Amino acid sequence: MGADEAVADADLSALPKAHLHLHLTGGMRRSTLRELAVEHGVGLPERLVDDFPDEWHVLGWPRFQRLYDIARSVLRTPADIHRIVRERAEDEAADGSRWLELQVTPSGYATRFGDVVTATEIFCAAIAEAQQATGVGIRLVIAANRTRPPWEAELQARLAVRMASYGVVGFGLSNDERIGAPSDFAKAFRIAREAGLIAVPHAGELLGPESVADTVRVLAPKRLGHGVRAAEDPRVLAQLAAAGIACEVCPGSNVALGVFAGHEAVPGRALEAAGVPVVLAADDPLLFGAGLVEKYAAVRDVHGYDRDGLARLAAASVRHSTMPALQAEAMLRDIESWRVRRISAFTRRG
């Protein structure tokens, strides 16, 4: 199949894939945000009330974080969490995503649910219910907030380990990359890794390749949230490639936060050319206005990915997930079937 064969949007939805970088609040439907805001009496700024165009620009990290915090404030009850997780699973299924690794920072919800343990139990119950209802495999990544003290990260790492039998598979590190060095969180990540959880910290988004190199050296990740700034240093690219560390590339958020001026500058091709595994993800579609299928459409339209290339990205998302081996093998076979199948440009009449 050559690059001249068009891959339709509907065909992108049929492509089996996994979604490995999505935040809980950021995965909420905008309609649900508005309904919950009314229900709980939360005032929303215009940017969260109005619908947005395909390219919805958030002007800088501080504004993004403020909007995210406001959006999170509408989640007041366990029922709210169950609702947004179930709806997220439904949206994943519609996008052809059969596996979701959902990232959440329990400390951000502790005050309204009592404590971090209770909050995490609610998240685990919600993913179990949504998985049962939709058939989408869902797991949790517990993420520490890098703007908070290291002892809190260590507490959450121990909590993540404790909840491993309830669907927690990884430990992450999120928020403003310019605050908190990777070494501050080394102990927390060691606690998680030694118990068998994967390390999936954010790095190489707001800071450059030196942040990626430090994160790899200190936290020993299996994947990196973003990691795109590694493309600025061939030595760091070679390090990622040699270690097989995947980058969770989220083009929409990179552009919206000003990391790159446009989708054409997002270095997914450069990462792949250097041997770095790339998995596409939506990050926070609530704020950035596009889901997982739109990310595949963007690399098709902007970077010229054909059927083979799109299948390669989908396969990488499966291989670098925590999906059980038999399920992963079955998905890889389905992806290969999609790759070799020609989709007619016209709807066949029965």
Side-chain angles (χ1 to χ4, degrees), residues 18-75:
H19 199 173
L20 306 184
H21 188 121
L22 185 82
H23 297 272
L24 176 67
T25 293
M28 185 177 4
R29 293 173 182 170
R30 182 158 284 222
S31 59
T32 298
L33 171 68
R34 292 190 288 243
E35 290 173 15
L36 291 177
V38 171
E39 181 179 335
H40 297 307
V42 177
L44 297 177
E46 183 177 323
R47 278 182 174 253
L48 291 178
V49 173
D50 296 341
D51 289 328
F52 39 67
D54 291 339
E55 296 294 336
W56 190 72
H57 290 278
V58 177
L59 303 178
W61 181 271
R63 180 171 290 183
F64 160 75
Q65 189 62 57
R66 185 179 74 86
L67 293 172
Y68 192 95
D69 290 343
I70 293 170
R72 183 172 54 200
S73 73
V74 309
L75 300 173

Side-chain angles (χ1 to χ4, degrees), residues 115-141:
D115 53 61
V116 292
V117 175
T118 302
T120 305
E121 289 172 345
I122 292 169
F123 303 142
C124 290
I127 66 167
E129 179 186 81
Q131 178 172 278
Q132 180 67 27
T134 65
V136 174
I138 312 175
R139 299 294 184 270
L140 282 181
V141 171

Side-chain angles (χ1 to χ4, degrees), residues 153-172:
E154 293 158 20
L155 173 67
Q156 292 191 98
R158 291 188 176 93
L159 174 61
V161 170
R162 172 180 168 181
M163 301 301 291
S165 59
Y166 297 95
V168 176
V169 295
F171 188 68

Side-chain angles (χ1 to χ4, degrees), residues 146-217:
R146 67 194 314 148
T147 69
R148 300 286 298 166
W151 65 260
E152 185 177 282
E154 293 158 20
L155 173 67
Q156 292 191 98
R158 291 188 176 93
L159 174 61
V161 170
R162 172 180 168 181
M163 301 301 291
S165 59
Y166 297 95
V168 176
V169 295
F171 188 68
L173 182 64
S174 59
N175 210 304
D176 193 334
E177 187 182 1
R178 296 164 295 190
I179 301 173
S183 57
D184 295 340
F185 304 96
K187 182 178 179 180
F189 274 81
R190 186 169 63 251
I191 291 168
R193 289 197 316 272
E194 289 179 351
L197 301 182
I198 64 167
V200 285
H202 287 52
E205 180 187 23
L206 300 182
L207 293 179
E210 70 285 348
S211 176
V212 173
D214 286 347
T215 300
V216 170
R217 177 176 55 84

